[in-house]
Amino acid sequence: MILTKAQYDEIAQCLVSVPPTRQSLRKLKQRFPSQSQATLLSIFSQEYQKHIKRTHAKHHTSEAIESYYQRYLNGVAKNGAAPVLLDLANEVDYAPSLMARLILERFLQEHEETPPSKSVINSMLRDPSQIPDGVLANQVYQCIVNDCCYGPLVDCIKHAIGHEHEVMLRDMLLEKNLSFLDEDQLRAKGYDKTPDFILQVPVVMLCPLAVEGHIIHWIESKASFGDECSHHAYLHDQFWSYWNRFGPGLVIYWYGFIQELDCNRERGILLKACFPTNIVTLCHSVA
Amino acid sequence: MAAVLESLLREEVSVAAVVRWIARSTQGSKDNPGEAAALSSLRPLRKEFVPFLLNFLREQSSRVLPQGPPTPAKASGASAALPGRPGGPPRGSRGARSQLFPPTEALSTAAESPVARRGGRRRVPGPARERGGRSLEEGVSVESLPGAGSRRLRGSGSPSRPSLTLSDPPNLSNLEEFPPVGSVPPGPTGTKPSRRINPTPVSEERSLSKPKTCFTSPPISCVPSSQPSALDTRPWGLGLPPGCRSLQEEREMLRKERSKQLQQSPTPTCPTPELGSPLLNWTGGLTDELADPARVSSRQRLELVALVYSSCIAENLVPNLFLELFFVFQLLTARRMVTAKDNDFELSPGALDSLESPLFQSIHDCVFFAVQVLECHFQVLSNLDKGTLKLLAENERLLCFSPALQGRLRAAYEGSVAKVSLVMPPSAQAVSFQPETDNRANFSSDRAFHTFKKQRDVFYEVLREWEDHHEEAGWDFEKGLGSRIRAMMGQLSAACSHSHFVRLFQKQLLQMCQSPGGAGGTVLGEAPDVLSMLGADKLGRLWRLQERLVTPQSSGGPCPPPTFPGCQGFFRDFILSASSFQFNQHLMDSLSLKIRELNGLTLPQHEPSDEDGESDVDWQGERRQFAVVLLSLRLLAKFLGFVAFLPYRGPEPPPTGELQDSILALRSQVPPVLDVRTLLQRGLQARRAVLTVPWLVEFLSFADHVVPLLDYYQGIFTLLLRLHRSLVLSQENERKMCFLNKLLLLAVLGWLFQIPTVPEDLFFLEEGPSDAFEMDIVAPEHGLDSMPVVDQQLLYTCCPYIGELRKLLALWVSGSSGRSGGFVRKITPTTTTTSSLGAQPPQTSQGLQAQLAQAFFHNQPPSLRRTVEFVAERIGSNCVKHIKATLVADLVRQVESLLQEQLVTQGEEGGDPAQLLEILYSRLCPHGAQALALGREFCQRKSPGAVRALLPEETPAAVLSSAENIAVGLATEKACAWLSANITALIRREVKAAVSRTLRAQGPEPAARGERRGCSRACEHHAPLPSHLISEIKDVLSLAVGPRDSDEGVSPEHLEQLVCQLGQTLQCRQFLCPPAEQHLAKCSVELASFLVADQIPILGPPAQHRLERGQARRLLHMLLSLWKEHFQGPVPLQLLLSPRNVGLLADTRPREWDLLLFLLRELVEKGLMGRMEIEACLGSLHQAQWPRDFAEELATLSNLLLAEPHLPEPQLRACELVQSNRGTVLAQS
């Protein structure tokens, strides 16, 4: 699961302009059978998000919105049961969920006196039954269940994955008898930055082929693939901040990472794709 | 002056008399009248004798050097000091200095580099350089070579003289360290290469060409002058503009060049053709010229001068002990010199007793003289580090000239434990986050808290960037980081944020720079081991290797200027770049506070009669503690001095005349940033000079030129000078200062006296005879000064320049010259952390009891007191924490339940929160009174056990119980003091937090707070993960919604499996978080809707793409029981009747309503939905727009369901709903 930069680039190359649909994922799995599905999905999702971030602005000009809305209206006027919105999103290379949001916002602007608040829109996206227009509700719902990179369902899945891995990590720590403080405890104590776990007694992780080990004070669990973009953002927002406060620590990218990114070991930020097996605790026993 | 020396040589006066004469203003009565008479006539010149003597020796040693003709300037300068011309005007140091640097040269170099200029001025050497005719002929500038050795670079590059490396007498020509008065500056040739070679920028720390950048010449002056030299203006310590380092840069480059060449030809060719000696090899020993005791030319004369010289050193009449030792070592290790026949100085019997003939006529003379002096200073030598001792003991010349001294040194070496450890250099470590001082409660506002959060990260980002780049060529601190630092400082608006940041800054400073490795101090290694391991011939290579591996660290010769080596550079540059007045002020406040605190620290008192054998172990700890405190103090004081004097330092020459007077008048009004004079006085009185003086020296080393002229500081210098004079090493006294303590003080003071801003006449002007320095107070019996707190490790850490001695000797052994760093060493760094809770040691005294307790400790080992105080401190602190966790937490729980009641009785809002809080406070705060009782009980319970565990088993019972009682008392005092002051505030704070927490939780989702069941005990958590299930169900939903390919679909088995898995997941709660459960609930409802509408594409024979009704019912049944049994959160069942989901049915032909009816009935049956609820949902469905027929069917359904709760009809088709008589249907039910 730890990929070289070249391997990663090869995968990323295949993801250019691929819509975030079920079908695309299936094809990707066929193309790279040796990679785990979760890793591929994570890479796909992150690459797609990068793509959207780059192109987001052009879909949000008033001209673009107006043109999309008209196309939507024309489409559903012809056939309300056809996947008008989904096809439109795929055609203009935009995430279906985001397209749904765009059209919904536009629709509400037209039909309500006051401009819709964010929370109203979010709530309607979570539960399209609340959308006053039945056709639009169906269109929006279709976009959301067919989008594998954006939308409330995807957000929930990501959140759940993150939570599950934290729980797994906690179990592993308990199993290894390593006492720790978790995020909630840290927050309650008033820490301004909180990694997932701070070890109350630091451990040393031995590296194969290396004499010395790496001291670990804290562990952060990341249920995603560590690509350059996300890793650098995490370094800046989280990992260095943890180092600044708690010293060296370990980041686990459960879905792997680009090998070349593990270059701050000496500085005190260690990357792994699984829970380390060769841990030495203070009493010199190998866990 | 020469007259004195001459009369001495003629044995008219005794050495003792001369020394007494110099040292004391009043002549001793013991002097015989003849001597007294001879000397009294010379009395006005008394002050000038020592400078004269020192210059004379330098002069003499340079004279025998074979390198070219003496330069005119040098000669004229020297002539003033030479005997035979007593009438010649004595040249003051000013004169000498200015002459060392003629205006033209000064101007040209001043423009480029103040550093270089100053270095040049100080150490320029005139003679060697000028005499180095050979090198001049080659057009290469050979600066005279000091033992420390970075001088040969250029010479060795010349193919015509490959042997220069060795033929260059390393010590005797080292006039850069010891310039005689009146030597000349480097001629144009000397600086020419700088114009030819493209300089590469090198960081200051890396510069190994220290002898140039440092000032090592003793400020010897024949005529004291009260005006500081106009050239003494180098603003060291200030970041020099990038372009100003050309000289250093060149040297650095040349150094590299040289080391390259050394690698190319590791074995130099024979350097001494004149002597006809065989090829030299690198393997030490007497390589160049054998020094032979039998060939010493004028033994008696040398003995006499050596004696006078030694006496001056012993009486601390010379400014810098180690500088003199360095000189002597240079003489000892002189490689070779041209034999006398090259010179005119043939020995003539008549010249022996005068100064007409040169003192050193051969290498034999030099060595003889050196050994004579060393014999007098065996005690100092024996206290050097083991590596130096070994090199000394193995020195064959020493063996040859004084087997006795060699024997003593060998014995000293064998007995020495002054090992220097080799430790990895530390890497940056962040200051850890301490919730007690760093959490939100310590900030004035949320904004300040979050700003500081960001600043902490920016600070470390900057630090890391510095670490990465500061050694790169072309990287500039200001350019790289300046704007970011200033932007960050700009955000520190609140004063409280400044103090937080300064705290971080200071802690980080201590953490990174406290250890010598981090400070980049000179590194010393256990040379003997390395040598024996590798052999001396490999040493050179090892050194070069190490030069590349370890950050080169230069101590800058025997007398380096104050610098900010290693990480300290970061902090200095940070301060400079930040250029923030507020920051500097807060920093000074904080540094001063910390200095006061550390300086006032009670360091354990040593009991000489510690009979219980634990003293050894204890002293390790004591020393370490002392070292940590001392090093921290020095670091803090250095930065305090730097910041405090920053506004007054600049590149311009110090003011003179009226301008100076007005500046003095102004400056004398400014109170000192820290009252160092009082601290010094107190330190001296309390006999803690060994702690106070070293940091004070660091502080003063950054003073500007005006400072020494201010009354306030003059007082300090006077005290320091008296102290210096009083530290006579030979006076061993149990009650007075320990030897190494003295040595440390002599070293740091000697160093201070060489600092350019300290007027050089200061030292020789001081009249104070040593006896005058008597403490005018009753000193405590055992001050720190009388305790062996300083060891070699600390000495060398504080004064890395002492290590130059060892380098000199090692050079002699290896013949290698290319080294100025050493082995890395450090002592274990310890960060000082203060606990916020009751950081103050208990101060209150309860009269007699307190006195008794003091007395009790007095006769106990110091560890006992430390243990008791430690236990008290910790237990007291723990007590407070315990009360927080128990009593206060209980109160908070009470608050929560009270609040619940309140909310229940008063409805949702529970009234005005502020009012509510007040009610709660008034009910709860009285409970705070319990805290004191509980605290007492806690301390009573916990302290004795801790004391017992920490004291030796064998502690007598009475002592133990007393110790326990004292610990209990102290701990209680501490805890109760805190509690009584703070408990109410604490309770209020916690209650407030609890209330807002409760009110928040009260908000949107009361159901979420319902009791949640975990998984069963037997659960092994193997259920599918929630994320996986959501994802799977989402796939099914997306298939159902479409669009889909024709071959896409799900098998009925898969559907069933999915629902089963959902059940498992819901039963194992291990990985389930509330949002995931909510989504699972919603997805399952959606799935049910698709099942009801028969919209799920089923894989199978092409004809049959639909699920069998039975299967569908079974699945619905399973879902129903999941909703009923296993979901712990709410399930949005009303979605089943949302227009969108019911609308799914509208598209199916024929419409089949039976599954929906079945589902609705079951919902009612299982109590999942009430009839009313369903009715409401169905009612609202009518509002939507449906196809006419669909609306009718829907109406029928609702009527059916509502009217007949127990419909037996299992199959109900749309046709029936439409076609059958409504009346019939109703009648049937």
Side-chain angles (χ1 to χ4, degrees):
Chain A
M1 277 195 299
I2 300 175
L3 305 180
T4 62
K5 179 86 174 69
Q7 284 174 312
Y8 180 84
D9 287 343
E10 192 195 346
I11 296 176
Q13 199 56 44
C14 295
L15 298 173
V16 177
S17 296
V18 172
T21 57
R22 215 171 53 239
Q23 291 87 346
S24 309
L25 264 182
R26 207 170 53 214
K27 281 179 204 148
L28 192 64
K29 284 171 199 165
Q30 284 159 4
R31 170 82 175 70
F32 298 99
S34 60
Q35 304 298 340
S36 86
Q37 288 194 17
T39 300
L40 284 176
L41 177 60
S42 182
I43 293 175
F44 182 23
S45 176
Q46 281 160 226
E47 283 296 312
Y48 188 73
Q49 283 174 34
K50 270 184 251 174
H51 168 70
I52 290 297
K53 266 179 210 148
R54 279 196 300 272
T55 57
H56 183 262
K58 81 170 184 195
H59 300 291
H60 277 251
T61 61
S62 52
E63 297 83 17
I65 294 173
E66 212 48 47
S67 126
Y68 297 157
Y69 189 56
Q70 285 310 320
R71 287 178 67 178
Y72 159 75
L73 289 179
N74 295 339
V76 292
K78 274 185 214 148
N79 179 6
V84 177
L85 210 47
L86 186 63
D87 286 349
L88 174 63
N90 289 338
E91 195 189 316
V92 302
D93 197 10
Y94 196 44
S97 294
L98 300 179
M99 180 60 89
R101 171 185 285 267
L102 212 67
I103 297 299
L104 175 62
E105 227 173 313
R106 178 67 186 76
F107 172 85
L108 292 174
Q109 268 169 19
E110 194 170 275
H111 290 83
E112 319 267 313
E113 294 87 43
T114 52
S117 73
K118 236 188 158 108
S119 65
V120 168
I121 299 209
N122 285 337
S123 157
M124 285 182 175
L125 287 172
R126 270 199 300 274
D127 177 14
S129 306
Q130 297 170 16
I131 297 173
D133 181 274
V135 177
L136 181 57
N138 286 335
Q139 295 282 342
V140 167
Y141 188 72
Q142 189 173 41
C143 282
I144 286 166
V145 292
N146 275 294
D147 192 332
C148 63
C149 292
Y150 281 95
L153 264 175
V154 174
D155 289 346
C156 174
I157 293 171
K158 283 183 183 165
H159 178 266
I161 292 177
H163 175 76
E164 288 154 13
H165 283 91
E166 273 176 44
V167 173
M168 280 188 241
L169 180 54
R170 172 193 306 269
D171 286 353
M172 291 171 191
L173 291 173
L174 289 172
E175 193 187 314
K176 303 264 180 209
N177 240 339
L178 302 174
S179 60
F180 55 82
L181 292 171
D182 67 20
E183 235 176 318
D184 295 333
Q185 290 165 307
L186 292 173
R187 218 170 277 130
K189 280 172 177 269
Y191 282 80
D192 61 353
K193 287 274 184 176
T194 50
D196 289 328
F197 300 100
I198 288 185
L199 301 180
Q200 285 177 322
V201 181
V203 297
V204 167
M205 198 194 94
L206 297 175
C207 301
L209 306 177
V211 184
E212 86 285 15
H214 296 278
I215 294 205
I216 297 172
H217 283 282
W218 49 267
I219 305 180
E220 177 78 5
S221 157
K222 288 285 172 221
S224 62
F225 183 87
D227 66 3
E228 271 172 305
C229 184
S230 58
H231 184 64
H232 285 133
Y234 285 139
L235 272 177
H236 183 265
D237 297 336
Q238 301 186 326
F239 307 153
W240 284 130
S241 295
Y242 302 154
W243 182 93
N244 296 343
R245 289 157 178 78
F246 318 113
L250 168 72
V251 177
I252 304 179
Y253 279 112
W254 296 102
Y255 295 155
F257 55 89
I258 297 177
Q259 203 170 18
E260 284 85 343
L261 294 177
D262 191 13
C263 57
N264 284 311
R265 288 190 164 217
E266 298 314 314
R267 270 272 169 84
I269 290 177
L270 192 68
L271 305 189
K272 291 285 284 181
C274 59
F275 191 80
T277 47
N278 35 8
I279 282 180
V280 179
T281 54
L282 201 54
C283 53
H284 306 295
S285 62
V286 175
Chain B
M1 280 304 89
V4 179
L5 208 53
E6 295 228 28
S7 58
L8 188 72
L9 290 176
R10 285 194 296 268
E11 298 188 38
E12 282 166 13
V13 290
S14 73
V15 171
V18 169
V19 174
R20 271 199 304 279
W21 173 75
I22 307 159
R24 294 167 182 82
S25 47
T26 52
Q27 294 200 349
S29 52
K30 291 170 284 180
D31 294 349
N32 84 43
E35 286 179 343
L39 290 169
S40 63
S41 63
L42 299 166
R43 213 176 150 184
L45 299 174
R46 199 172 46 77
K47 271 190 290 198
E48 294 164 24
F49 180 80
V50 175
F52 165 77
L53 177 67
L54 299 183
N55 273 339
F56 171 72
L57 288 172
R58 309 292 196 267
E59 183 76 14
Q60 290 296 311
S61 62
S62 69
R63 213 160 216 223
V64 286
L65 294 180
Q67 295 188 331
T71 62
K74 151 93 176 51
S76 70
S79 67
L82 276 178
R85 300 189 204 172
R91 304 199 70 97
S93 70
R94 289 321 143 207
R97 283 185 176 195
S98 355
Q99 199 188 16
L100 283 176
F101 238 88
T104 49
E105 180 65 18
L107 277 178
S108 65
T109 44
E112 310 171 356
S113 162
V115 178
R117 187 189 68 209
R118 159 165 214 299
R121 170 184 63 74
R122 277 282 202 152
R123 353 182 70 241
V124 162
R129 185 196 302 275
E130 271 23 91
R131 245 179 282 107
R134 298 188 294 211
S135 34
L136 293 180
E137 283 159 29
E138 294 153 17
V140 187
S141 152
V142 177
E143 294 160 32
S144 68
L145 181 284
S150 46
R151 210 53 61 65
R152 280 169 233 157
L153 20 165
R154 291 155 204 190
S156 63
S158 155
S160 67
R161 275 213 101 78
S163 58
L164 198 54
T165 319
L166 281 178
S167 64
D168 222 5
N171 54 359
L172 292 183
S173 63
N174 185 11
L175 291 153
E176 301 211 331
E177 272 81 7
F178 309 102
V181 172
S183 48
V184 271
T189 39
T191 46
K192 240 176 201 159
S194 66
R195 266 133 224 154
R196 275 191 251 131
I197 296 165
N198 233 357
T200 327
V202 198
S203 80
E204 220 170 332
E205 287 76 29
R206 277 186 161 261
S207 165
L208 289 173
S209 53
K210 58 196 171 177
K212 285 274 98 179
T213 58
C214 313
F215 58 104
T216 50
S217 98
I220 293 159
S221 56
C222 288
V223 171
S225 138
S226 60
Q227 282 178 354
S229 156
L231 289 164
D232 258 354
T233 56
R234 191 175 79 86
W236 24 261
L238 285 171
L240 294 166
C244 284
R245 296 181 177 162
S246 57
L247 271 178
Q248 275 174 283
E249 285 157 8
E250 283 160 32
R251 295 199 176 97
E252 174 70 2
M253 250 187 56
L254 285 165
R255 187 187 61 77
K256 284 178 186 154
E257 193 60 29
R258 182 213 49 213
S259 80
K260 234 187 268 170
Q261 275 154 0
L262 275 177
Q263 279 169 307
Q264 282 158 8
S265 57
T267 316
T269 48
C270 171
T272 55
E274 305 97 308
L275 292 173
S277 60
L279 269 183
L280 291 179
N281 59 29
W282 285 94
T283 48
L286 296 177
T287 48
D288 301 70
E289 186 174 339
L290 285 168
D292 183 356
R295 293 170 64 190
V296 175
S297 54
S298 46
R299 224 168 236 277
Q300 194 189 10
R301 195 169 59 146
L302 286 168
E303 271 171 8
L304 266 175
V305 177
L307 200 54
V308 174
Y309 181 50
S310 298
S311 306
C312 288
I313 295 177
E315 290 279 332
N316 293 331
L317 296 171
V318 298
N320 191 327
L321 164 69
F322 287 100
L323 203 55
E324 300 312 316
L325 281 182
F326 189 78
F327 173 63
V328 174
F329 275 37
Q330 283 186 312
L331 286 178
L332 177 70
T333 57
R335 282 206 185 272
R336 67 176 266 285
M337 67 175 65
V338 170
T339 42
K341 62 178 182 272
D342 279 8
N343 296 307
D344 301 328
F345 306 121
E346 287 297 334
L347 284 184
S348 64
L352 273 179
D353 56 350
S354 75
L355 297 179
E356 291 290 344
S357 67
L359 187 62
F360 305 121
Q361 304 198 8
S362 63
I363 211 100
H364 321 291
D365 291 2
C366 293
V367 176
F368 177 76
F369 178 81
V371 173
Q372 289 289 310
V373 176
L374 290 181
E375 277 186 331
C376 299
H377 296 285
F378 168 75
Q379 204 184 3
V380 177
L381 299 181
S382 66
N383 277 286
L384 295 175
D385 75 312
K386 201 166 182 177
T388 312
L389 275 177
K390 174 162 187 185
L391 289 168
L392 260 183
E394 285 173 353
N395 189 298
E396 289 168 41
R397 281 183 170 174
L398 210 97
L399 176 63
C400 201
F401 277 75
S402 174
L405 177 59
Q406 195 270 348
R408 288 162 80 196
L409 283 170
R410 176 160 294 280
Y413 162 69
E414 278 153 11
S416 169
V417 287
K419 282 208 172 189
V420 169
S421 53
L422 223 157
V423 195
M424 293 281 288
S427 62
Q429 267 256 331
V431 171
S432 75
F433 181 93
Q434 292 297 325
E436 277 145 3
T437 49
D438 292 354
N439 72 12
R440 166 68 186 85
N442 295 289
F443 288 84
S444 57
S445 66
D446 276 334
R447 199 169 145 251
F449 178 58
H450 289 293
T451 307
F452 182 65
K453 177 172 86 179
K454 277 185 218 135
Q455 262 143 5
R456 182 193 281 264
D457 290 329
V458 174
F459 176 65
Y460 285 110
E461 195 182 300
V462 167
L463 179 56
R464 270 190 295 271
E465 204 165 317
W466 174 83
E467 278 194 319
D468 287 343
H469 300 299
H470 74 281
E471 289 178 346
E472 284 172 13
W475 190 82
D476 178 58
F477 188 96
E478 170 55 35
K479 249 186 258 163
L481 304 170
S483 57
R484 230 180 311 163
I485 289 173
R486 278 185 295 278
M488 180 186 106
M489 299 310 287
Q491 290 178 323
L492 289 170
S493 47
C496 124
S497 309
H498 267 292
S499 65
H500 275 288
F501 181 75
V502 160
R503 194 165 44 81
L504 177 72
F505 186 86
Q506 184 177 308
K507 273 194 176 179
Q508 188 66 40
L509 172 71
L510 279 174
Q511 203 159 282
M512 281 176 78
C513 307
Q514 196 182 43
S515 61
T522 300
V523 253
L524 293 164
E526 185 56 4
D529 294 349
V530 180
L531 279 171
S532 55
M533 251 160 42
L534 295 172
D537 59 333
K538 298 227 177 83
L539 194 62
R541 255 192 286 167
L542 172 75
W543 280 349
R544 285 196 299 279
L545 180 66
Q546 203 167 3
E547 250 176 2
R548 269 176 278 157
L549 291 178
V550 181
T551 311
Q553 291 163 335
S554 166
S555 63
C559 249
T563 49
F564 292 91
C567 311
Q568 294 179 17
F570 170 78
F571 294 92
R572 179 210 42 204
D573 291 344
F574 188 97
I575 293 169
L576 290 175
S577 277
S579 57
S580 157
F581 168 74
Q582 293 98 322
F583 173 62
N584 288 357
Q585 188 60 50
H586 280 269
L587 186 59
M588 284 192 288
D589 295 348
S590 175
L591 290 169
S592 303
L593 182 73
K594 190 79 190 168
I595 288 173
R596 279 180 175 283
E597 182 192 318
L598 288 178
N599 188 56
L601 211 63
T602 318
L603 287 166
Q605 307 269 304
H606 176 50
E607 303 297 322
S609 56
D610 206 354
E611 73 287 345
D612 59 358
E614 63 167 348
S615 52
D616 260 9
V617 185
D618 269 6
W619 271 104
Q620 287 301 325
E622 307 279 345
R623 281 213 194 91
R624 198 158 47 233
Q625 196 197 359
F626 177 79
V628 168
V629 172
L630 183 72
L631 292 176
S632 304
L633 273 169
R634 278 168 55 91
L635 183 68
L636 296 168
K638 179 195 246 187
F639 273 85
L640 181 63
F642 173 66
V643 180
F645 298 119
L646 189 60
Y648 305 109
R649 269 198 324 256
E652 72 276 6
T656 50
E658 274 183 39
L659 185 58
Q660 188 183 40
D661 291 344
S662 66
I663 289 179
L664 275 178
L666 192 66
R667 287 284 293 280
S668 56
Q669 300 301 309
V670 182
V673 59
L674 175 67
D675 189 1
V676 282
R677 188 170 64 185
T678 309
L679 290 177
L680 173 64
Q681 281 162 347
R682 281 198 203 134
L684 293 174
Q685 283 168 9
R687 311 201 351 95
R688 286 162 68 92
V690 70
L691 181 68
T692 304
V693 171
W695 70 254
L696 181 63
V697 163
E698 289 286 302
F699 175 77
L700 291 175
S701 72
F702 279 94
D704 58 280
H705 288 281
V706 177
V707 167
L709 307 176
L710 297 168
D711 285 347
Y712 179 86
Y713 289 100
Q714 259 174 1
I716 293 175
F717 277 107
T718 307
L719 279 175
L720 291 180
L721 283 165
R722 288 189 183 161
L723 175 67
H724 181 264
R725 192 65 63 81
S726 76
L727 296 168
V728 178
L729 287 168
S730 54
Q731 287 178 4
E732 283 267 47
N733 186 335
E734 271 293 304
R735 298 276 310 279
K736 286 201 170 169
M737 202 178 286
C738 291
F739 190 86
L740 277 168
N741 297 7
K742 276 188 200 169
L743 212 53
L744 173 68
L745 291 184
L746 283 177
V748 296
L749 286 171
W751 177 76
L752 179 68
F753 296 145
Q754 303 293 319
I755 302 260
T757 41
V758 177
E760 50 195 31
D761 49 357
L762 196 77
F763 184 83
F764 295 110
L765 254 186
E766 177 54 42
E767 269 300 320
S770 61
D771 328 331
F773 188 67
E774 277 303 318
M775 290 301 158
D776 45 348
I777 31 77
V778 193
E781 199 152 320
H782 298 292
L784 258 184
D785 287 347
S786 57
M787 299 179 208
V789 281
V790 176
D791 57 6
Q792 276 85 356
Q793 178 103 359
L794 185 61
L795 178 67
Y796 277 73
T797 306
C798 290
C799 314
Y801 31 87
I802 302 178
E804 296 291 316
L805 296 177
R806 207 178 118 262
K807 286 183 198 163
L808 214 53
L809 295 170
L811 255 164
W812 167 250
V813 171
S814 67
S816 139
S817 65
R819 165 186 166 81
S820 53
F823 303 109
V824 184
R825 72 164 192 162
K826 66 164 192 178
I827 58 163
T828 320
T830 319
T831 37
T832 49
T833 46
T834 51
S835 85
S836 71
L837 284 179
Q840 290 295 315
Q843 292 292 339
T844 59
S845 56
Q846 296 180 337
L848 200 60
Q849 278 305 312
Q851 278 178 25
L852 272 174
Q854 291 296 326
F856 167 71
F857 286 125
H858 186 75
N859 283 326
Q860 297 297 332
S863 62
L864 181 87
R865 184 199 194 112
R866 236 178 16 249
T867 305
V868 168
E869 282 174 355
F870 173 72
V871 165
E873 205 261 341
R874 293 326 308 157
I875 298 284
S877 174
N878 292 350
C879 170
V880 170
K881 285 183 186 142
H882 180 69
I883 302 259
K884 270 189 192 170
T886 52
L887 177 71
V888 178
D890 278 346
L891 291 178
V892 166
R893 269 192 289 281
Q894 282 183 42
V895 166
E896 281 165 348
S897 59
L898 275 173
L899 210 59
Q900 291 296 343
E901 283 171 33
Q902 202 88 3
L903 291 171
V904 170
T905 52
Q906 298 197 2
E908 267 106 71
E909 285 311 307
D912 175 27
Q915 210 181 343
L916 193 67
L917 267 180
E918 281 311 317
I919 297 171
L920 290 170
Y921 288 156
S922 62
R923 283 176 66 172
L924 294 174
C925 283
H927 292 283
Q930 293 171 22
L932 291 183
L934 286 172
R936 257 183 225 108
E937 191 270 329
F938 180 89
C939 295
Q940 188 79 48
R941 186 156 43 88
K942 293 282 185 183
S943 309
V947 171
R948 231 173 292 138
L950 291 174
L951 289 182
E953 285 282 293
E954 291 70 28
T955 309
V959 172
L960 188 64
S961 81
S962 299
E964 287 172 6
N965 289 336
I966 294 171
V968 168
L970 288 175
T972 311
E973 191 176 284
K974 179 178 153 68
C976 289
W978 193 91
L979 286 172
S980 55
N982 297 303
I983 189 72
T984 311
L986 179 68
I987 292 176
R988 286 176 81 99
R989 198 175 75 202
E990 293 292 316
V991 166
K992 192 175 172 191
V995 167
S996 62
R997 210 164 42 228
T998 314
L999 288 178
R1000 253 205 317 273
Q1002 202 66 25
E1005 277 186 57
R1009 296 186 307 117
E1011 205 192 327
R1012 302 184 71 89
R1013 286 162 285 158
C1015 30
S1016 67
R1017 268 171 178 265
C1019 180
E1020 289 183 344
H1021 313 313
H1022 290 322
L1025 293 173
S1027 61
H1028 171 76
L1029 269 177
I1030 302 175
S1031 182
E1032 290 280 308
I1033 297 176
K1034 175 175 170 279
D1035 277 353
V1036 173
L1037 296 177
S1038 73
L1039 275 174
V1041 174
R1044 57 181 172 257
D1045 297 341
S1046 55
D1047 59 342
E1048 281 185 305
V1050 281
S1051 65
E1053 295 76 31
H1054 179 68
L1055 275 180
E1056 204 161 321
Q1057 189 195 3
L1058 210 56
V1059 179
C1060 278
Q1061 286 182 344
L1062 180 58
Q1064 291 164 14
T1065 298
L1066 289 171
Q1067 284 171 68
C1068 166
R1069 315 294 296 185
Q1070 174 79 349
F1071 296 103
L1072 200 57
C1073 58
E1077 192 178 353
Q1078 278 169 32
H1079 271 90
L1080 280 174
K1082 214 167 100 202
C1083 287
S1084 66
V1085 173
E1086 303 276 359
L1087 188 64
S1089 291
F1090 283 108
L1091 284 172
V1092 165
D1094 195 17
Q1095 295 268 333
I1096 298 176
I1098 296 299
L1099 286 176
Q1104 190 202 352
H1105 274 289
R1106 301 172 62 189
L1107 207 56
E1108 275 179 40
R1109 319 299 293 166
Q1111 276 174 328
R1113 269 178 196 250
R1114 200 163 59 245
L1115 287 171
L1116 287 176
H1117 220 103
M1118 287 164 76
L1119 285 173
L1120 278 162
S1121 73
L1122 290 183
W1123 294 334
K1124 171 79 184 161
E1125 310 277 338
H1126 298 306
F1127 275 101
Q1128 292 183 11
V1131 181
L1133 292 167
Q1134 67 285 354
L1135 279 183
L1136 288 168
L1137 291 173
S1138 72
R1140 190 172 57 80
N1141 284 330
V1142 174
L1144 293 171
L1145 275 170
D1147 301 333
T1148 52
R1149 299 274 170 208
R1151 293 195 189 100
E1152 309 219 11
W1153 293 90
D1154 59 322
L1155 286 175
L1156 181 61
L1157 199 59
F1158 162 77
L1159 189 60
L1160 293 178
R1161 278 194 185 137
E1162 287 294 318
L1163 286 174
V1164 175
E1165 190 103 315
K1166 292 198 181 323
L1168 285 165
M1169 274 181 104
R1171 237 165 236 289
M1172 305 288 282
E1173 206 181 339
I1174 291 180
E1175 191 178 358
C1177 288
L1178 286 173
S1180 61
L1181 271 182
H1182 293 307
Q1183 293 160 11
Q1185 288 186 338
W1186 302 110
R1188 200 184 139 70
D1189 56 337
F1190 185 79
E1192 280 176 10
E1193 287 173 32
L1194 196 63
T1196 314
L1197 174 90
S1198 67
N1199 287 340
L1200 244 174
L1201 186 79
L1202 297 175
E1204 302 170 53
H1206 306 295
L1207 196 71
E1209 180 63 62
Q1211 292 259 315
L1212 190 68
R1213 291 181 184 276
C1215 52
E1216 293 172 62
L1217 279 178
V1218 178
Q1219 286 164 7
S1220 62
N1221 184 323
R1222 233 169 264 166
T1224 356
V1225 177
L1226 289 174
Q1228 279 173 353
S1229 59

